[in-house]
Amino acid sequence: MQTKILDYTTQKQEALGQAKSLILSGEVVAIPTETVYGIAANALDGEAVKKIYVAKGRPSDNPLIVHISELSQAQALVKEIPEKVKLMAERFWPGPLTMIMKKSSLVPDITSGGLDTVAVRMPKSQAARDIINACGVPLAAPSANLSGSPSPTNADYVFADMNGRIPLIIDAGPCEIGVESTVISFTGEKPRLLRPGGVTFEQITELIGETELDDAVLNKLVDGAVASSPGMKYKHYAPKASITVVKGTLEEFVRFVQGRDCFVLCFEGEEKHFKNAVSYGRADNALSQANRLFNALRELDEKGADTVYARCPETSGIGLAVYNRLIRSAGFNIISL
Ligand code: AMP
Ligand code: MG
């Protein structure tokens, strides 16, 4: 299969037309969003959604997020919309927030990975909203990487993973946030944060009160445990290099890596201390880290890094999302100095 790239800024009408015609004929298309690039298909067409799993090599029990452009589209996908979901939607949609509710029979089982719940998000990216609007159907879209690899935050990285596997990539430049959406479930007694993202835990608890933090956000799932979010049990965001997250001050870190044959994943401005360094944002700015993390992981592979020691981010605000992705990319290899 030939994989075509269309630029959303300079070829908007053609991009919208081709995305619509492919998606409505049951094909998949890679689309930009403000979080990361996604591979989209008609969420209500089970055969089309199957092609997403095939293109990514994704296990079929790992459910997809359904993207909408209007609040009215959510109603048909779920049994009911809880009051707290309405509050959250009013405040954070459109935006990097996915909410899980009991699904309606309209949503095929393959879209929800066989669960009786469905994850719904209204993205903020204008290109994503235009594409959903043009199609007139909700779009199931996981990140546009091969299963297990870091998520792509630009069209080149989508192409690197998906060339020959999908017919079309819509390029709208780099993603504004760079890590996937916050995922929160409203199917239990209390709201439960399953995956941190651009909408922070602090913002959520301030708006809707007590919210549980799923164990899998900060820890490796214990063998045999049932994952609240099936994606959490799989290898994730992993580059070819073996990564170790190192907790400690810059000074301790510099001393620790001295004399070791390794690469370092550090913060901007710290590169001068190391022989082989790739940086991921500023130490005091979590959004800049989110912006850079997945690209930095891919750059380490491009440079042929084998062993990597990573500086550890703060875990407040968007930092929690950065930390959550980094420890997974490291296979939970974490040391404290
Ligand atoms: P991605 O598609 O790569 O952004 O990943 C979506 C994440 O949301 C995965 O970790 C999924 O397991 C999770 N997810 C999607 N739908 C559900 C659901 N119905 N219940 C629990 N987790 C879900
Ligand atoms: Mg993903």
Side-chain angles (χ1 to χ4, degrees):
M1 186 189 297
Q2 259 322 69
T3 301
K4 192 167 165 179
I5 304 183
L6 287 175
D7 187 294
Y8 196 70
T9 322
T10 57
Q11 302 164 279
K12 181 171 171 179
Q13 288 319 318
E14 192 170 352
L16 280 178
Q18 291 201 23
K20 174 185 175 181
S21 102
L22 282 164
I23 286 171
L24 293 185
S25 62
E27 295 301 325
V28 301
V29 175
I31 64 165
T33 82
E34 73 275 23
T35 56
V36 301
Y37 275 72
I39 302 182
N42 177 355
L44 308 181
D45 175 348
E47 288 306 311
V49 170
K50 246 184 227 163
K51 294 180 184 169
I52 295 179
Y53 288 93
V54 173
K56 278 182 65 84
R58 179 165 171 134
S60 61
D61 68 344
N62 190 1
L64 309 178
I65 294 171
V66 178
H67 295 74
I68 57 174
S69 55
E70 303 292 336
L71 205 51
S72 58
Q73 287 174 306
Q75 197 74 53
L77 301 171
V78 302
K79 284 230 163 83
E80 62 165 343
I81 302 186
E83 282 309 313
K84 285 184 177 169
V85 170
K86 289 181 192 157
L87 265 179
M88 292 278 284
E90 212 168 280
R91 170 84 173 272
F92 298 118
W93 274 359
L97 172 73
T98 297
M99 296 195 274
I100 296 173
M101 291 165 267
K102 290 275 180 201
K103 85 174 185 73
S104 74
S105 55
L106 191 66
V107 180
D109 282 344
I110 176 122
T111 301
S112 63
L115 300 175
D116 62 355
T117 55
V118 62
V120 186
R121 172 162 109 86
M122 188 193 289
K124 189 175 131 207
S125 144
Q126 195 55 51
R129 296 170 62 76
D130 290 347
I131 294 166
I132 302 168
N133 274 330
C135 294
V137 291
L139 300 184
S143 50
N145 51 284
L146 286 173
S147 191
S149 298
S151 305
T153 65
N154 61 47
D156 288 345
Y157 284 143
V158 178
F159 189 78
D161 277 20
M162 290 298 148
N163 184 19
R165 305 175 76 93
I166 61 173
L168 177 64
I169 299 168
I170 308 293
D171 180 357
C175 299
E176 192 186 317
I177 296 177
V179 294
E180 306 83 345
S181 59
T182 302
V183 178
I184 178 165
S185 172
F186 289 89
T187 60
E189 217 165 275
K190 288 184 192 142
R192 173 177 280 252
L193 185 81
L194 303 183
R195 179 174 76 183
V199 171
T200 66
F201 189 58
E202 293 87 341
Q203 286 175 306
I204 294 168
T205 51
E206 193 189 311
L207 183 68
I208 58 169
E210 195 186 347
T211 301
E212 292 170 340
L213 189 64
D214 197 82
D215 257 359
V217 169
L218 291 170
N219 303 298
K220 186 175 179 181
L221 209 66
V222 189
D223 280 348
V226 177
S228 323
S229 183
M232 291 299 170
K233 68 180 182 234
Y234 293 110
K235 186 178 133 189
H236 240 122
Y237 320 119
K240 294 183 190 79
S242 136
I243 299 196
T244 303
V245 179
V246 182
K247 294 183 172 176
T249 62
L250 173 62
E251 211 180 7
E252 289 167 330
F253 186 93
V254 170
R255 232 179 295 132
F256 174 79
V257 298
Q258 220 156 48
R260 284 175 199 259
D261 180 20
C262 66
F263 272 73
V264 157
L265 182 60
C266 63
F267 298 119
E268 260 173 59
E270 297 177 354
E271 298 90 334
K272 58 180 180 286
H273 299 292
F274 312 104
K275 202 161 86 208
N276 301 311
V278 170
S279 68
Y280 75 108
R282 297 196 300 279
D284 61 355
N285 185 324
L287 182 58
S288 74
Q289 295 162 13
N291 261 268
R292 277 281 307 153
L293 179 65
F294 288 140
N295 288 8
L297 292 174
R298 285 182 182 252
E299 283 167 26
L300 284 164
D301 278 349
E302 287 159 12
K303 289 177 190 267
D306 199 32
T307 303
V308 177
Y309 293 102
R311 294 267 285 135
C312 187
E314 303 277 345
T315 55
S316 57
I318 294 183
L320 186 64
V322 176
Y323 180 74
N324 169 274
R325 306 310 189 276
L326 181 60
I327 59 176
R328 281 178 169 72
S329 75
F332 297 93
N333 227 342
I334 308 167
I335 56 174
S336 295
L337 299 179

